[in-house]
Amino acid sequence: MGVSDQVRRLREELPAQVRLVAVSKQVPVDLMREAYVAGIRDFGESRIQEARQKLPQLAGLEGISWHLIGTLQSNKVRPALELFDWIHSVDSWSLAERVNMVAAQLSRRPKLLLQVKLTPDPDKSGWLESALWEALPRLAALPQVEIRGLMAIAPLGLDPIQTRDLFGRVAQLADSIRQKASAAGWGTIRMEELSMGMSGDYPSAVQAGATMVRLGQIVFGSRLLPLRENNP
Ligand SMILES: *Cc1c(COP(=O)(O)O)cnc(C)c1O
């Protein structure tokens, strides 16, 4: 199956309210154009450098939202804000504070998701629940950003039930934060988006309430092999 068939098939499979973010890292722009023609308006990239090369080539396509899904280093915040509408990978207070500051300099109001990890794993980035609760009052006081929800990546090696449970915990955390934000009058914390689910686990994420799925290989084919050979 080619890109447009995959996009159509996924669009039929996914509930209408779930946004399909096509993860186009390492994908050439001609395949991205094909995805656009098939209806994709949200593209996810992992690296600033790659996005900087590709975005101008797609500048003629109207209505695209660009999503940064990869780790953001604090020295790349400025180009990130110049290129992307959404940042899914805000994983620390210092990064959030810097994004707020650079956004003010650029007069932008980026949409942020807070990347959470529910199990302590030093190799994975993301907020632990306790650290996030502790930082929330300070996050709520950042005037130049909109905190729209949470993002999570499931650890490898879970079965579908465990994965759904984990995504379910992320959804519950978002609910609790939403209640707290509304009680506390934190207008910049909205918690309406849940970015969860990749090619290997998106059905579990959708069951758990994902509003954005980040799909790469299932849309574009394996990043290691050319699409046509991979999916004859
Ligand atoms: C690469 C990537 C994806 C997409 O993964 P696929 O397995 O290709 O669907 C989603 N989210 C993040 C954070 C990624 O880095």
Side-chain angles (χ1 to χ4, degrees):
M1 268 208 239
V3 170
S4 40
D5 296 315
Q6 282 298 65
V7 169
R8 278 188 207 107
R9 194 185 65 68
L10 285 161
R11 207 48 279 175
E12 270 170 35
E13 178 187 343
L14 293 169
Q17 73 277 11
V18 174
R19 201 193 285 234
L20 198 180
V21 179
V23 174
S24 48
K25 62 188 181 199
Q26 298 170 47
V27 171
V29 288
D30 55 334
L31 289 186
M32 294 172 69
R33 259 192 212 100
E34 204 175 318
Y36 179 90
V37 170
I40 293 292
R41 292 297 178 272
D42 293 273
F43 287 97
E45 288 280 344
S46 283
R47 294 166 154 274
I48 306 288
Q49 190 54 34
E50 184 175 343
R52 195 163 14 212
Q53 283 166 7
K54 284 170 156 177
L55 263 66
Q57 300 182 57
L58 297 168
L61 307 182
E62 307 241 315
I64 294 182
S65 293
W66 292 99
H67 300 251
L68 178 64
I69 61 168
T71 306
L72 176 57
Q73 284 154 8
S74 57
N75 61 345
K76 302 266 178 64
V77 165
R78 180 174 299 270
L81 292 186
E82 285 164 352
L83 293 164
F84 291 95
D85 307 290
W86 291 80
I87 299 176
H88 291 226
S89 45
V90 176
D91 58 5
S92 70
W93 163 249
S94 61
L95 179 62
E97 195 181 25
R98 173 144 183 87
V99 168
N100 180 71
M101 190 189 79
V102 176
Q105 290 166 0
L106 298 174
S107 303
R108 309 210 37 167
R109 204 139 191 278
K111 301 189 253 296
L112 310 184
L113 304 180
L114 303 173
Q115 183 175 350
V116 295
K117 61 175 172 184
L118 295 182
T119 47
D121 177 346
D123 296 334
K124 296 266 157 41
S125 46
W127 301 83
L128 283 171
E129 232 173 301
S130 52
L132 179 53
W133 279 112
E134 199 203 315
L136 271 178
R138 278 177 289 156
L139 289 165
L142 298 175
Q144 200 65 30
V145 296
E146 287 177 22
I147 296 176
R148 292 291 194 93
L150 302 181
M151 182 272 230
I153 302 173
L156 292 174
L158 302 185
D159 67 32
I161 308 252
Q162 292 170 318
T163 308
R164 198 194 56 211
D165 287 350
L166 184 132
F167 286 143
R169 285 173 55 204
V170 177
Q172 278 171 9
L173 176 59
D175 275 343
S176 316
I177 295 174
R178 189 183 310 112
Q179 284 166 24
K180 168 77 186 168
S182 127
W186 292 337
T188 55
I189 297 196
R190 296 191 15 212
M191 286 296 130
E192 61 216 7
E193 303 287 349
L194 287 171
S195 168
M196 316 190 288
M198 307 173 29
S199 295
D201 59 17
Y202 72 90
S204 302
V206 169
Q207 280 179 12
T211 65
M212 296 180 174
V213 290
R214 308 179 309 273
L215 305 182
Q217 314 211 28
I218 199 168
V219 174
F220 293 110
S222 164
R223 286 183 286 274
L224 301 176
L225 295 168
L227 179 80
R228 309 292 173 191
E229 286 172 38
N230 188 39
N231 291 323

